[in-house]
Amino acid sequence: MKKVKILLKTVTVADGERDENVFTYSGELEEQNGAFYLRYSEISDEAKTNTVIKACDKKVIITRTGAFGSVMKIEEGVTNKTEYKTPYGAFLMAVCGEKCKNDLKQKGTLLAEYTLFNESGVIGKNEIEIKIKEV
């Protein structure tokens, strides 16, 4: 298991508005059976949320536990249902994967693009870009 610095960029486009955020975390990266596991914790006003990102060839699974919880599967061309838990309640959503590019081994990067839906329709189009560097 390697200690890494994680640069996480998120882009969300919803209702014609583009929202871009960049976060930096300390975490760990491990490779097991051809999959990469990236682990880190997020601290917010509410509490701590632990995140594990499993990256395979064309699939990314983001598991969050703590104040906010979910298991979000992002697979190219596949729609997966998930429940997003917050301190205020749980919400059902669908995740339609559009692109997953895992270059963690060669370049230290991971990209996932997807659209989130709820029972009312499209919530937004999203992109997660991760860059890691060993510390």
Side-chain angles (χ1 to χ4, degrees):
M1 193 170 303
K2 300 176 191 174
K3 299 278 186 198
V4 293
K5 183 68 85 180
I6 302 162
L7 181 68
L8 173 72
K9 177 181 166 185
T10 63
V11 177
T12 301
V13 178
D15 299 324
E17 298 287 321
R18 179 183 169 93
D19 184 37
E20 188 173 311
N21 294 288
V22 177
F23 306 95
T24 303
Y25 300 107
S26 293
E28 299 173 336
L29 179 68
E30 181 177 16
E31 185 178 6
Q32 288 182 354
N33 302 321
F36 287 88
Y37 294 83
L38 186 60
R39 296 175 178 86
Y40 62 93
S41 296
E42 303 171 44
I43 307 292
S44 69
D45 294 337
E46 288 89 18
K48 180 178 175 180
T49 301
N50 297 311
T51 302
V52 177
I53 299 175
K54 178 182 178 184
C56 302
D57 188 31
K58 297 288 183 187
K59 177 168 57 172
V60 175
I61 301 171
I62 303 170
T63 304
R64 303 177 84 211
T65 57
F68 295 87
S70 66
V71 177
M72 193 163 60
K73 294 179 185 174
I74 305 167
E75 298 178 74
E76 286 188 17
V78 177
T79 299
N80 292 295
K81 293 183 181 178
T82 190
E83 184 177 66
Y84 183 66
K85 297 175 186 168
T86 74
Y88 312 105
F91 305 93
L92 293 175
M93 297 188 301
V95 181
C96 180
E98 294 158 9
K99 183 177 184 180
C100 295
K101 187 170 182 185
N102 177 4
D103 277 330
L104 286 170
K105 189 169 194 155
Q106 290 82 16
K107 298 180 183 177
T109 62
L110 177 66
L111 175 69
E113 296 177 3
Y114 59 96
T115 301
L116 280 179
F117 297 87
N118 64 14
E119 65 275 351
S120 301
V122 174
I123 297 171
K125 295 183 86 52
N126 300 272
E127 179 181 309
I128 298 171
E129 182 181 348
I130 294 173
K131 294 180 182 177
I132 60 161
K133 185 181 283 190
E134 277 191 63
V135 291

